[in-house]
Amino acid sequence: MVGAIYAIGDLQGCFAPLLRLLDTVQFQPGRDRLWLAGDLVNRGPQSLELLQQVFHWQEAVQFVLGNHDLYALARWSKITTAKKSDTLGPLLAHRDVNEWMEWLRAGSLLHSDPELGWNMVHAALHPDWDLTTAKGHAEAVEDVLHGNRWRPFLKSLWTELPPRRWQDCRNEAEAMRFRVAVFTRARLVTAAGLFSWPSQPAADGEVYLPWHTPFQERHPGTPLICGHWATQGLLVKPGLLALDSGCVWGRQLSAARIDTPEPVLYQVDCPAYARPDGV
């Protein structure tokens, strides 16, 4: 019996809300499937429990890699040191962490289901990339990440900033950093394809739009599911499900059933993670 398919926004180690949300929809891993829009771990308090459970359900789970997942892989492989917001200690200290992390490393940056009609990415797609082009860019990264030279590749993501435009990539190393940044970090872009990365804020006089505005104008037949943008919050438009509703910041965890003629939304509140400063 084919069950339901639920897409869920950024989890970030918020395991208890995930269980409440799955209880709400009466999820059964032998029947239903989960699409997870990246950032499975970090910032929240239960990355260990969450990754352990999702790994156990792996036959029912489709996920894409987010920036926090790549950071977790870098921490596991000792490529980078812990940031102030890092909550990965218990996960990285567990005896089964190698098995879980190898499974995470085998993840994709872009998932497409032509029969279902939906595509999923953590952060964004470049407005100039049609789906075929985007798949090629995702596969270029996945080939390296899944191969033997994944450690030097991950390390290279932390040594230099990515270019802000595809046209400014002077070599394959810069092209790879740009690809990863688009798939896992992008939010704002100009009409000319200039991105504002978190570490490179927009300059005065540059006019930015949410990446999905020009993308949907240019590719109206490419329905997308994404996360990554808690400040934007839940955004549901024809052909777009932006599902990061800020659970790890004390707001909501959101899911959408996507095997129905129109998406059906579900949410649970996450007040336990609210910051005292109101963020």
Side-chain angles (χ1 to χ4, degrees), residues 69-89:
D69 305 316
L70 294 178
Y71 168 76
L73 289 170
R75 284 274 287 114
W76 167 59
S77 57
K78 298 181 173 57
I79 288 169
T80 190
T81 56
K83 297 180 179 180
K84 184 179 179 180
S85 60
D86 188 305
T87 62
L88 296 172

Side-chain angles (χ1 to χ4, degrees), residues 87-108:
T87 62
L88 296 172
L91 169 64
L92 298 178
H94 196 277
R95 65 181 182 275
D96 295 329
V97 66
N98 291 346
E99 184 177 18
W100 300 340
M101 286 300 191
E102 287 292 354
W103 175 72
L104 193 68
R105 182 167 71 90
S108 58

